[in-house]
Amino acid sequence: MKANSQQQRVIDELDSNILLLASAGTGKTNTLALRVARIIEMNKAKPSEILCMTFTNKACREMKERIMNRVGVDARAVEIHTFHSFCYTILQEEAKRDEGLYTDITIFDEEDCRELLAPFKPEGVREIDFQTIIGIIKEERAVYNFYSNDRRIDYLKTVEIILAENDKARQLCNAFGYKSIAHMQENISTFKQRVVDVVEGYQHALAVGHGVDFTDLIIGVYELFREDSIRERWRSRFRYIAVDEMQDTSTLEYAVMKQMWPGNIVLLCGDFFQTIYEWRGSNPLVLLELFRNEFQPQVIVFYENYRSNQLLFEAAFNALKGMFPHMIDDFYEETPYAVTQEEGQRIQVHEVLTEFDESRRVYDAISKVPEEERDSIGILVRGNHKAQYLSRMFELFNKNLLPENRLNFMIIDDFKFFRRQEIKDVLAFFKLVANPHDTVSAKRIIKRFVEGIGEARMAAIESDDCRKVGLKLTDFLDMGIFQDETYARLLKGLENNEVIVYDVESTGTDTTTDQIIQIAAIRIDKDGKPLEVFERFIRPTKSVGQSASVHGFTDEKLAEIGRPAAEVLQEFKEFSRGAVIVGHNVNYDVSIFTSELHRHNLGKPEFEAVFDTLDIFRRFYPNLSNHKLGFLSEQFPINHTPTHNAMDDIIATGMLLLYAVQENILPTQDKRRAYISSFKSYFADIATKMSTLRRKAKQDKPTAVLAYIMNDLGVSAYYASHNEAHRVKHIRDLYRIFEQLEKELVEYTTVDRIKVILQLAALTAGEPANQFVRGTQIPIITVHQAKGSEFDYVFLVGLNDGVFPSYMSVREGKLDEEKRLFYVALTRARKALTITYACQSGKKELRPSPFLQFIPLEYQEFHKY
C-alpha cells in the first residue's frame, strides 16, 4: 500500500524531531517500519543506532516483522524494545560496572512479588492495592530524588510527601488496613515507620533472591542515569529514537527516556484519546507540552483511517466528539475519515432481560458467523468478572451440542502463557539454574515437588538467626552443603593457597556476544598476601566502543599490547584449574569466561568453587544502603580504594574477603554447621537432582533439560497424581518455544539460551500470549487487553451503568479515562460491532451505560427482547 502524504512526511523527515498524532487504524506501525528502512537506505544511521520503543510485546513483534519485511537481515540489529525490556537490558549491561547490581538478576512478576509481600500484607487488604502502593512509594522516591546513604530516611521522606497528597494518602491508608486518614493520624509516627519497614523488608527479600520487580526496572535505570557517564554512554549509542504509544508513558518513564534524546532525532507517537493507563501514572497532556517545549518537534497528524468501514469510523469519531467536545479542535485541524468505500452496517444494540439472555444472544449471534470468519471475532468486556461469567455460560450452551458444532472460546486473562501454573513450575527449575539465589523459585519447587519440607521448616531456615550466620534457603539446594558447611571450601582454599581473586574487562557487558580484553587475577594466601599474579590483554575481534571510557583501553592500545584470545583464555584456564574463584559480582566474570571458552572450542572452566563478595556482604550486612565495591571499601577498614581497573579492583576485593572471613565467616562457623546438620537431611534428594540438573544445563540443549525436569524431577508424576495431567499440553507448547529458540540461538551456550528464555518469560508474563494458542479460539478479552488488537466482528458485552463506566471510576471522578476506554472499544471492529446489555441481575434492576448516548442514533440499530 502506497503511503499517503502525511505518512510520507514521517518517512522522509529524518533531520527533525517529530510529534506524531496517530489514532487507531491509521497505518502507524507500517509507517514507522518504512521510516526505519529509509534511515538505513539513506545511510543516516547504522541499524544498531536505531532504537524503537513501544508499550507491549505484541507491538514489538509486529514492528520487528514489518521492519524485517522492509529491510531484511539488517533489521536484526535495530533495537526494538518495550520500555521494561530496554530497562532490563540497561541493568544487565551496567551490572558489571555497578557492583551493587547482580548480573544474574531475575525479574519477579506480580505473582512472585505477591509471595514476597505476603508476610507484610495486613489482613483484609486487597493484594493489588498493597502491591500498587509499594510501587508508588518506590517511584515517588525516584521522582523526588531522595537518594542518600540511608534508604530508610529516603523512604520516610517519601511517605511524608505521599501523606500530604489526599488521593495518594487515602490509597496508602487503605493499603495498610486503615479505614480513614484520621484513623491513621492517631498513630502517625508508628504508621510511617511501619510503612518504611515493609518497603525495606520487601526490597531486602528481592535482594536476597537477586531479583527486581517491574518498578525496579524503571527506577534502577533512573538512578543509573543520574551519573553523567552512564547516561552519555547510552545516549550516544543511538542516533534515531522512536517511542510509540507515548500516551501510556508514566511521568517517571518519560523522565528516564528523555535523558537519551538530546542530540538525537526523536519521534514521539501516540493518541491522547487512547490514554487508558492514568492509574499507573500516565499524563499525556503534560508530556506532550514538555516535548513540544523542550525538543521543538514538527507536529504531524494522521487523518486517514484504514481499519474500519465508513459507518463504524464515523460512529466512533462522533462519539469521541460528544465525549470531548472542547478537545477535538486542539488535536485535529481537519476531520479524520475512513479511506474505504465500504459503507458498512449500523451498530447493533441489543437490550435483553437478564445476563443469561445476554449470553445466549451473543452465543447465537456468533454461531451465525461463517465458520471461516470466526478467527476474527473478539468478545470485549469491561472486567474479568464478566469474562468469567460469559465463559461459564458458553460452556453450558456447548454441552447441549455435538462436539463438531460447539464454539471454542477462551478467556485471554486465563491464557497469559508464562503465568500459567505449570509453566511457572517448570521455569522455576530453569530460574534456579540461571540464578541459584532465587528464593521464590526455590520455594515453589519445594512446596510442590518435595515431600517433608513444610512452611514451618522453610520459615526456620529464613529466620533472623539463620540469616545472621550467613545461611539462606537456596543453600540447601546445592550439594556442596552436604559435604561441609557453606564456606568450608573457601576456608580450605585459603589454607592451601588455592584462592584466586579474579576480574575481567570486556568490550561490553553482554556475556553472549562481547569479548574479554583483560584478565586480571591474584592467587592469595590465608593472610591475603599475593602469591602469583596473572594479567593478560587480548586483541578483540570487535571494537571496544564506548566501553573504553570505563576501562581506558582503546582498540589501538589493545592492538599493541593484546594477544590472541584463544592463547590467553587457555592460559587462564590452566592458571585457575582447581582453584577457588572469588570476585565482586563474580557471576558476570565467570559467565563471559565460560562463553568465551565455548566460542573458541576450549571446553569449560575447571574451577573448584566460586564465591562472590557481593553476596557475602549482602548476607552478613543486609541493611547497608548499598553494597558496591567502592562503598564497602569506605565502610570497612581495608585501606584500599578501587578504581575500575581490573587489577586494582581485585586487590580491594581480596581485602574485603579477608575482612569478612575474620569478622563474619569464621566466628559463625560452628552455629552454621549446627543449623545445616539439623536441616540438610530433608533436602538430600532434591539437592542431588538439582546438581544433576545444573550439570545437564551446561551440556545439554534446553529441550533435553526440560525433558529431565518433567520425567526425572517428578513434575509429570506430580500432575498425574493430582489429576492435573491436562497441564502437560501447555508444557508441550513451551517445548516448541524452546525448539524454536535453539534454532535461532545456535552460537549460544545452553545456559545463555536459558537466560534468553527466562527474559522472554519475564517480560511477557503480564500479556496474553496469542502466538502460542493452538487452534481457533474466540477470545473473551477486557478492553484494556484489546488495545492494539483488531477484529472483523466485535461483541461489546455488558454495557451497563456501574459496569462501563465502572462504579469506582464514577465514585473517584475518573470518568474521562472510562470515556477513552469506551472509544478504544469502539475502534476495535473492522466490519461489524454489536453492543449488548441486560435490564436486571437477579432482583436488581440494571440501566444501560450512559456512554450509549454518545453514539448518534443514526449509527445505531436498536433491538429489545
Side-chain angles (χ1 to χ4, degrees):
M1 183 181 68
K2 185 180 178 180
N4 63 43
S5 60
Q6 296 305 310
Q7 292 172 341
Q8 198 64 48
R9 281 186 64 194
V10 173
I11 296 165
D12 292 338
E13 180 48 75
L14 304 181
D15 297 318
S16 302
N17 296 326
I18 294 174
L19 175 58
L20 173 59
L21 303 176
S23 60
T26 53
K28 173 188 60 180
T29 304
N30 194 54
T31 302
L32 294 179
L34 288 169
R35 176 180 167 84
V36 170
R38 179 61 55 87
I39 292 168
I40 296 171
E41 288 166 5
M42 299 292 291
N43 292 317
K44 288 284 189 176
K46 299 174 185 176
S48 60
E49 294 174 326
I50 303 170
L51 170 64
C52 301
M53 285 195 283
T54 188
F55 194 68
T56 66
N57 289 285
K58 178 178 180 291
C60 268
R61 289 190 297 271
E62 288 179 357
M63 192 174 292
K64 282 180 182 176
E65 289 169 4
R66 304 272 180 94
I67 294 174
M68 284 286 289
N69 289 338
R70 298 288 177 180
V71 180
V73 293
D74 284 348
R76 293 177 183 172
V78 178
E79 296 276 356
I80 304 175
H81 293 275
T82 64
F83 185 68
H84 283 112
S85 74
F86 186 60
C87 288
Y88 183 52
T89 298
I90 293 174
L91 289 185
Q92 282 193 310
E93 290 201 22
E94 292 300 327
K96 166 57 182 168
R97 303 182 179 106
D98 187 328
E99 312 91 349
L101 299 169
Y102 284 117
T103 54
D104 59 354
I105 54 173
T106 297
I107 300 174
F108 288 2
D109 63 27
E110 293 92 329
E111 286 187 33
D112 300 330
C113 295
R114 193 178 302 135
E115 184 167 334
L116 289 179
L117 278 168
F120 307 107
K121 187 180 79 67
E123 197 167 332
V125 170
R126 292 200 314 163
E127 288 172 334
I128 188 171
D129 293 337
F130 195 58
Q131 279 187 281
T132 299
I133 199 64
I134 299 300
I136 288 173
I137 292 169
K138 296 200 296 182
E139 281 196 5
E140 293 287 277
R141 178 199 178 199
V143 167
Y144 288 100
N145 273 302
F146 292 150
Y147 290 106
S148 71
N149 285 332
D150 191 330
R151 280 198 314 262
R152 290 190 65 86
I153 292 176
D154 297 341
Y155 285 130
L156 189 60
K157 289 163 70 175
T158 305
V159 169
E160 287 171 348
I161 284 182
I162 289 174
L163 289 174
E165 302 176 27
N166 286 337
D167 286 346
K168 288 180 181 176
R170 192 176 300 108
Q171 198 173 358
L172 180 61
C173 291
N174 291 340
F176 277 80
Y178 288 83
K179 295 179 181 178
S180 67
I181 295 177
H183 183 209
M184 174 272 297
Q185 291 284 359
E186 295 174 6
N187 301 286
I188 183 67
S189 179
T190 303
F191 173 77
K192 288 190 288 190
Q193 290 297 332
R194 181 185 173 202
V195 174
V196 171
D197 286 344
V198 168
V199 180
E200 272 285 88
Y202 170 63
Q203 288 303 107
H204 173 64
L206 279 170
V208 166
H210 292 203
V212 292
D213 61 19
F214 287 112
T215 303
D216 290 329
L217 291 175
I218 303 167
I219 62 177
V221 173
Y222 182 81
E223 187 171 355
L224 285 170
F225 278 7
R226 293 170 69 238
E227 187 174 321
D228 293 343
S229 61
I230 297 176
R231 182 176 65 252
E232 177 61 21
R233 185 162 58 245
W234 284 92
R235 188 204 62 75
S236 61
R237 183 179 294 196
F238 304 104
R239 297 182 66 184
Y240 286 87
I241 300 174
V243 182
D244 192 12
E245 304 289 356
M246 58 73 51
Q247 74 276 356
D248 292 324
T249 300
S250 74
T251 303
L252 185 60
E253 289 168 349
Y254 181 89
V256 171
M257 284 190 295
K258 82 167 189 175
Q259 295 185 68
M260 296 180 53
W261 296 349
N264 292 317
I265 305 298
V266 181
L267 184 150
L268 208 58
C269 176
D271 177 8
F272 166 80
F273 297 109
Q274 290 191 75
T275 304
I276 57 175
Y277 289 99
E278 277 189 335
W279 53 271
R280 57 180 296 277
S282 66
N283 193 339
L285 288 179
V286 171
L287 301 187
L288 284 171
E289 195 60 29
L290 284 172
F291 186 61
R292 279 174 163 156
N293 292 338
E294 292 183 59
F295 297 94
Q296 293 80 47
Q298 291 192 33
V299 179
I300 301 175
V301 181
F302 283 176
Y303 291 99
E304 298 180 15
N305 182 280
Y306 298 90
R307 174 181 295 171
S308 304
N309 57 47
Q310 291 188 21
L311 189 141
L312 286 176
F313 176 78
E314 290 173 13
F317 189 70
N318 277 283
L320 188 63
K321 287 198 295 185
M323 291 186 289
F324 300 100
H326 304 297
M327 297 187 69
I328 290 295
D329 290 342
D330 293 337
F331 286 88
Y332 295 107
E333 294 179 357
E334 305 171 22
T335 302
Y337 61 94
V339 172
T340 180
Q341 296 302 306
E342 182 184 346
E343 185 175 342
Q345 62 176 338
R346 289 193 287 178
I347 297 171
Q348 304 297 298
V349 180
H350 296 265
E351 179 187 287
V352 297
L353 183 61
T354 67
E355 287 185 279
F356 177 87
D357 298 328
E358 182 182 33
S359 305
R360 180 80 254 183
R361 188 148 296 279
V362 171
Y363 185 96
D364 290 344
I366 291 174
S367 300
K368 294 174 183 176
V369 175
E371 191 169 345
E372 63 273 14
E373 296 185 56
R374 289 178 190 166
D375 61 351
S376 192
I377 295 175
I379 303 171
L380 273 56
V381 294
R382 175 61 184 84
N384 286 318
H385 178 77
K386 187 70 172 183
Q388 297 287 346
Y389 177 82
L390 288 175
S391 180
R392 292 195 300 272
M393 292 300 101
F394 293 162
E395 188 176 341
L396 179 66
F397 303 150
N398 270 335
K399 283 182 179 179
N400 299 322
L401 300 173
L402 294 172
E404 59 269 24
N405 295 329
R406 293 172 183 167
L407 297 177
N408 194 10
F409 297 92
M410 71 169 180
I411 299 178
I412 287 290
D413 198 57
D414 287 347
F415 208 92
K416 291 175 180 175
F417 184 80
F418 289 110
R419 275 187 181 169
R420 299 193 73 93
Q421 176 191 311
E422 56 271 25
I423 301 303
K424 287 183 69 67
D425 285 348
V426 170
L427 290 182
F429 289 98
F430 283 97
K431 284 182 177 181
L432 273 177
V433 167
N435 173 11
H437 305 276
D438 184 350
T439 51
V440 172
S441 294
K443 287 181 180 179
R444 188 178 192 94
I445 290 168
I446 291 166
K447 287 176 183 178
R448 212 177 300 280
F449 305 112
V450 181
E451 295 182 357
I453 305 173
E455 293 281 358
R457 193 157 280 129
M458 282 193 287
I461 294 173
E462 294 191 305
S463 67
D464 283 344
D465 288 341
C466 250
R467 182 196 60 73
K468 287 175 182 176
V469 301
L471 284 175
K472 55 186 181 182
L473 180 66
T474 50
D475 293 337
F476 290 87
L477 298 182
D478 189 322
M479 281 303 294
I481 209 167
F482 293 88
Q483 298 163 7
D484 208 331
E485 65 98 355
T486 315
Y487 297 105
R489 190 65 196 87
L490 172 62
L491 298 174
K492 183 180 177 184
L494 285 169
E495 286 291 331
N496 297 335
N497 300 331
E498 294 170 344
V499 170
I500 290 177
V501 187
Y502 156 64
D503 190 24
V504 306
E505 296 295 347
S506 52
T507 59
T509 52
D510 185 341
T511 60
T512 62
T513 59
D514 279 305
Q515 299 173 17
I516 295 174
I517 61 167
Q518 180 193 21
I519 300 178
I522 299 177
R523 187 185 301 274
I524 61 174
D525 66 13
K526 63 181 179 180
D527 298 317
K529 295 178 181 177
L531 301 173
E532 287 183 86
V533 176
F534 181 102
E535 185 174 23
R536 304 285 190 278
F537 293 92
I538 294 173
R539 288 194 301 272
T541 59
K542 66 183 292 187
S543 173
V544 296
Q546 293 292 323
S547 68
S549 64
V550 178
H551 49 62
F553 301 112
T554 63
D555 292 331
E556 293 75 19
K557 184 66 175 177
L558 291 170
E560 177 188 339
I561 65 174
R563 292 168 48 199
E567 291 180 15
V568 175
L569 293 168
Q570 182 62 42
E571 287 177 12
F572 185 69
K573 182 178 177 181
E574 296 292 334
F575 182 80
S576 61
R577 179 176 286 123
V580 176
I581 294 293
V582 174
H584 200 73
N585 208 356
V586 74
N587 182 64
Y588 170 83
D589 306 276
V590 172
S591 295
I592 196 168
F593 180 59
T594 303
S595 294
E596 284 275 62
L597 289 178
H598 173 78
R599 288 195 286 267
H600 288 86
N601 297 311
L602 294 174
K604 299 178 179 64
E606 297 179 22
F607 307 145
E608 174 67 19
V610 177
F611 290 88
D612 189 346
T613 49
L614 172 59
D615 180 68
I616 289 170
F617 276 84
R618 273 204 164 139
R619 288 185 189 225
F620 286 104
Y621 300 96
N623 296 322
L624 289 177
S625 61
N626 75 68
H627 296 80
K628 297 179 182 181
L629 188 59
F631 181 81
L632 295 177
S633 299
E634 293 174 359
Q635 291 293 305
F636 297 96
I638 67 167
N639 300 317
H640 188 83
T641 303
T643 63
H644 266 308
N645 173 274
M647 186 59 70
D648 196 41
D649 286 358
I650 60 177
I651 294 172
T653 301
M655 291 179 172
L656 283 168
L657 171 70
L658 267 294
Y659 180 88
V661 167
Q662 296 300 324
E663 298 296 323
N664 306 108
I665 294 173
L666 279 173
T668 56
Q669 189 173 36
D670 290 341
K671 284 186 178 180
R672 201 160 44 249
R673 282 199 171 109
Y675 279 120
I676 292 169
S677 178
S678 63
F679 291 123
K680 69 179 184 180
S681 61
Y682 301 101
F683 291 86
D685 184 55
I686 185 61
T688 301
K689 290 177 178 176
M690 286 300 301
S691 177
T692 303
L693 176 65
R694 290 189 176 105
R695 187 175 67 252
K696 291 180 74 66
K698 292 178 181 178
Q699 59 193 32
D700 295 349
K701 293 181 178 179
T703 46
V705 178
L706 177 57
Y708 174 77
I709 291 169
M710 294 300 294
N711 299 322
D712 295 81
L713 285 172
V715 176
S716 291
Y718 175 88
Y719 293 145
S721 65
H722 287 75
N723 297 316
E724 295 179 335
H726 62 280
R727 297 190 182 278
V728 175
K729 70 178 182 180
H730 295 122
I731 297 173
R732 293 194 187 103
D733 291 335
L734 183 65
Y735 186 92
R736 294 186 187 99
I737 297 169
F738 280 22
E739 280 186 316
Q740 183 60 37
L741 287 172
E742 286 174 4
K743 294 175 184 176
E744 295 174 5
L745 306 173
V746 177
E747 300 293 320
Y748 286 30
T749 65
T750 297
V751 172
D752 287 335
R753 287 173 180 171
I754 288 172
K755 289 177 181 177
V756 172
I757 289 164
L758 293 176
Q759 181 176 344
L760 171 71
L763 295 173
T764 59
E767 290 183 37
N770 293 323
Q771 70 273 31
F772 306 127
V773 178
R774 296 170 294 109
T776 302
Q777 294 176 294
I778 299 167
I780 307 172
I781 187 170
T782 68
V783 182
H784 279 97
Q785 293 167 338
K787 187 178 175 185
S789 299
E790 55 187 72
F791 308 91
D792 284 344
Y793 304 95
V794 169
F795 292 82
L796 181 53
V797 183
L799 207 71
N800 286 100
D801 193 16
V803 176
F804 204 169
S806 70
Y807 169 76
M808 289 297 293
S809 66
V810 175
R811 193 182 79 170
E812 295 176 3
K814 297 180 178 178
L815 204 56
D816 279 357
E817 180 152 342
E818 289 289 294
K819 289 177 181 177
R820 293 192 293 267
L821 190 62
F822 181 59
Y823 173 63
V824 168
L826 294 180
T827 55
R828 298 308 97 193
R830 287 188 290 253
K831 292 183 178 180
L833 172 62
T834 300
I835 295 175
T836 66
Y837 62 89
C839 294
Q840 66 181 53
S841 177
K843 295 182 179 180
K844 180 182 176 182
E845 288 191 9
L846 303 176
R847 297 190 304 274
S849 169
F851 288 170
L852 275 171
Q853 68 180 320
F854 293 117
I855 303 175
L857 290 177
E858 63 263 33
Y859 298 110
Q860 299 185 37
E861 186 173 305
F862 181 75
H863 305 270
K864 184 173 182 178
Y865 302 95

